[in-house]
Amino acid sequence: MAAEFGHMFTHALGESGDAGKAAFYEAYASTSALVRIAAGIDPLCADGRTFFDRVNRGDERMGAILQAWVSETAAGLASLIHIFNPPAIIVGGGVMEQEPLVRMVERRTRELIMDSFQGVRILRAELGNKAGMLGAASLFAG
């Protein structure tokens, strides 16, 4: 049950003012968090595709949400890099299939990590959002 990095506490009290689930990394740095925050500003922005369409069309409010989300994501990655000193971090999921987003996260992470950790590679998962499905299929086929 180890390595539940999404449940790493990154905010002492979280949005609700207590140390419940709202204090976890995934409450700020997951795709569902990104969409939840965007939909709170504009209810029509209730999925990732709509959100990124708005960002790509220059919607400044959604762009600001994206920048904040990138910073949240990078802060968690920087913590993990400082703790584990991995040679690489692989980022995945549907939104990370967009190479420009991976580069944004990488840039922000590099701004946050100490110089001695700059050798870490930050890479997009080759299987993208299909990794879980393909893993499950391989277990079924095996």
Side-chain angles (χ1 to χ4, degrees):
M1 295 302 296
E4 285 290 344
F5 300 123
H7 284 251
M8 172 174 66
F9 283 93
T10 57
H11 295 75
L13 297 178
E15 294 173 346
S16 63
D18 65 27
K21 290 183 179 181
F24 292 158
Y25 182 45
E26 68 186 20
Y28 298 88
S30 63
T31 301
S32 59
L34 179 64
V35 170
R36 176 181 43 78
I37 294 164
I41 300 296
D42 182 347
L44 297 176
C45 214
D47 61 69
R49 187 166 284 127
T50 303
F51 173 79
F52 282 102
D53 282 346
R54 298 275 295 278
V55 169
N56 292 332
R57 286 186 296 162
D59 184 316
E60 292 181 11
R61 294 179 307 165
M62 296 304 135
I65 290 169
L66 180 61
Q67 288 300 323
W69 181 86
V70 166
S71 289
E72 291 287 355
T73 301
L77 294 179
S79 293
L80 294 170
I81 289 166
H82 287 144
I83 293 167
F84 294 109
N85 192 21
I89 294 282
I90 311 298
V91 293
V95 297
M96 288 299 179
E97 289 185 3
Q98 302 174 65
E99 192 63 33
L101 184 56
V102 175
R103 295 301 127 230
M104 289 171 68
V105 169
E106 178 182 23
R107 261 191 314 278
R108 184 66 182 125
T109 303
R110 289 198 185 288
E111 291 171 357
L112 298 174
I113 59 176
M114 297 166 42
D115 289 343
S116 58
F117 291 88
Q118 290 295 326
V120 67
R121 296 174 58 206
I122 299 173
L123 307 167
R124 181 177 57 86
E126 289 182 14
L127 297 177
N129 207 28
K130 297 180 180 98
M133 179 180 59
L134 292 172
S138 73
L139 290 174
F140 181 73

